[in-house]
Amino acid sequence: MQKLRSKLILFRIRTKLKDWWDWSWAHFVAGLMALIRYLPAKAGIGFFAWFARTVGPLLPRHQIALDNLRQAYPEKDPEWIRKTALEMWENMGRLFAEYVFLDKIFDFDPNAKKPGLVEVDGIDIFVRLRDEKKPHIFFTAHTGNFELLPICAATFDLNVTALFRPPNNPYIAKRVLKARRTAMGHLVPSKAGAAWALAGKLAEGEDVGMLVDQKFRRGIKGTFFGRPVRTNPLLIKLARQYDCDVYPARSIRLPGGRYRLELYERMDLPKDKDGNIDEVAAAQKLNDTVETWVREYPGQWMWFHKRWDD
């Protein structure tokens, strides 16, 4: 009994310490975000790009990124691996700072004669989908600034409810959710009930969007860069249940602090012999699409997360 009590006390202490650390780190992050609001957007984003590039390699996640890059690109030399990892950290720093400046950096105007910071490929597709008056499913990956995609859709009067995975730190998650709501409309955290929430939106004829390059322990088995992964079947199940067209979209960082958002034509998901969507083949097609994007701009993807099966 005494041993059990000791374990319980230690568990409570660890829980309190973790909560204290999460609270402290969240307030530190909030302080940084408040400070950069006083900087010009370009300066603030540039500072955090430098900061992340400097501090990132000191974090444990950096070793995960290096290992993932080495396994994904066995033909590349160590210097290429190192530079790509640094580019990834720089991208993460920019993404962090861009939360503060989303309203300033998104300057796309479909009727503008001169391009701004944001350019869009697939304008005709956006317009066509707006006029179809039926639900659609959009998917993307953690490349470039993927946060700009729902904002872009709203420019064309497409109200997209986006599924997102909140940070593990509950205090940061609360702040991030609040910041994203102001600029991006409806959001659904990826937890219990998320599937029902998205299904409800589709049933009402609205559009939904989701990231498909996250690990899902109970997902469909497949490969990504030749290594085993599990993919969340939610997109596939929703597309089958509501007979929705599926559209790939991605964000690309361009030189000079600019962005290109690309919306592609409808993806035809593989069917089985009975004419139903083949879940395994469809999940692999999603993975292959994201892999193609990542191979084109490897430094713009999050290599530090544990996408692959152990």
Side-chain angles (χ1 to χ4, degrees):
M1 182 63 71
Q2 184 62 36
K3 188 175 181 181
L4 181 60
R5 286 177 179 172
S6 298
K7 286 184 176 181
L8 182 59
I9 292 171
L10 286 174
F11 173 77
R12 288 175 175 173
I13 291 173
R14 285 196 297 266
T15 301
K16 288 287 186 182
L17 287 174
K18 183 180 183 305
D19 185 68
W20 174 83
W21 171 257
D22 286 345
W23 182 90
S24 301
W25 181 246
H27 279 73
F28 172 72
V29 170
L32 287 179
M33 296 183 78
L35 284 174
I36 64 173
R37 290 182 188 276
Y38 295 99
L39 297 174
K42 186 175 182 180
I45 294 170
F47 169 76
F48 272 94
W50 168 83
F51 181 80
R53 187 183 179 97
T54 303
V55 176
L58 305 178
L59 302 176
R61 287 275 177 176
H62 186 64
Q63 297 307 314
I64 296 175
L66 292 176
D67 183 61
N68 282 335
L69 281 164
R70 282 192 288 262
Q71 294 198 55
Y73 295 92
E75 75 281 5
K76 298 294 186 180
D77 59 65
E79 182 60 17
W80 185 91
I81 299 295
R82 185 188 72 85
K83 287 183 176 179
T84 303
L86 290 178
E87 186 181 342
M88 176 207 69
W89 284 116
E90 183 176 319
N91 178 64
M92 294 309 304
R94 291 184 181 278
L95 183 63
F96 175 83
E98 286 162 351
Y99 274 118
V100 176
F101 299 111
L102 279 175
D103 58 334
K104 295 182 179 179
I105 62 178
F106 189 82
D107 60 355
F108 174 71
D109 180 356
N111 302 312
K113 295 182 179 179
K114 281 185 62 178
L117 292 176
V118 177
E119 61 182 60
V120 177
D121 286 350
I123 293 176
D124 55 330
I125 305 175
F126 274 117
V127 172
R128 188 180 75 235
L129 298 187
R130 177 195 64 197
D131 296 336
E132 282 185 353
K133 305 301 181 184
K134 67 177 185 178
H136 312 92
I137 299 177
F138 301 93
F139 77 86
T140 189
H142 291 88
T143 59
N145 188 334
F146 49 91
E147 306 286 7
L148 295 174
L149 291 165
I151 303 175
C152 181
T155 303
F156 295 93
D157 296 324
L158 286 167
N159 188 15
V160 178
T161 297
L163 178 70
F164 85 107
R165 182 186 182 280
N168 292 329
N169 184 317
Y171 300 101
I172 292 180
K174 185 177 179 180
R175 291 179 179 274
V176 168
L177 181 59
K178 183 178 179 181
R180 294 175 72 171
R181 273 181 178 150
T182 60
M184 299 174 60
H186 301 294
L187 290 164
V188 175
S190 56
K191 57 182 181 181
W196 290 106
L198 294 182
K201 292 295 181 181
L202 293 173
E204 294 170 2
E206 297 185 17
D207 302 319
V208 302
M210 60 190 73
L211 292 150
V212 296
D213 57 342
Q214 296 169 311
K215 187 172 183 176
F216 191 77
R217 296 187 183 279
R218 302 182 304 278
I220 301 170
K221 292 183 178 180
T223 60
F224 185 58
F225 279 85
R227 298 169 62 192
V229 294
R230 292 179 182 266
T231 302
N232 192 331
L234 180 57
L235 180 151
I236 298 166
K237 290 180 181 296
L238 291 175
R240 183 173 58 196
Q241 181 176 351
Y242 292 96
D243 192 25
C244 293
D245 292 337
V246 175
Y247 290 85
R250 68 166 170 170
S251 168
I252 301 169
R253 291 191 184 278
L254 301 175
R258 300 184 67 250
Y259 315 82
R260 182 166 69 247
L261 308 180
E262 297 180 346
L263 177 63
Y264 297 86
E265 286 290 358
R266 183 189 69 190
M267 172 182 282
D268 292 323
L269 297 179
K271 303 288 183 68
D272 60 22
K273 62 181 181 179
D274 297 320
N276 300 314
I277 296 177
D278 185 320
E279 289 194 3
V280 174
Q284 189 58 52
K285 190 167 185 177
L286 296 177
N287 291 336
D288 291 344
T289 299
V290 174
E291 181 175 334
T292 299
W293 292 345
V294 176
R295 285 190 179 278
E296 190 172 359
Y297 298 97
Q300 297 189 24
W301 191 67
M302 295 182 182
W303 289 99
F304 59 67
H305 72 163
K306 298 179 179 181
R307 174 68 180 98
W308 289 271
D309 287 348
D310 296 330

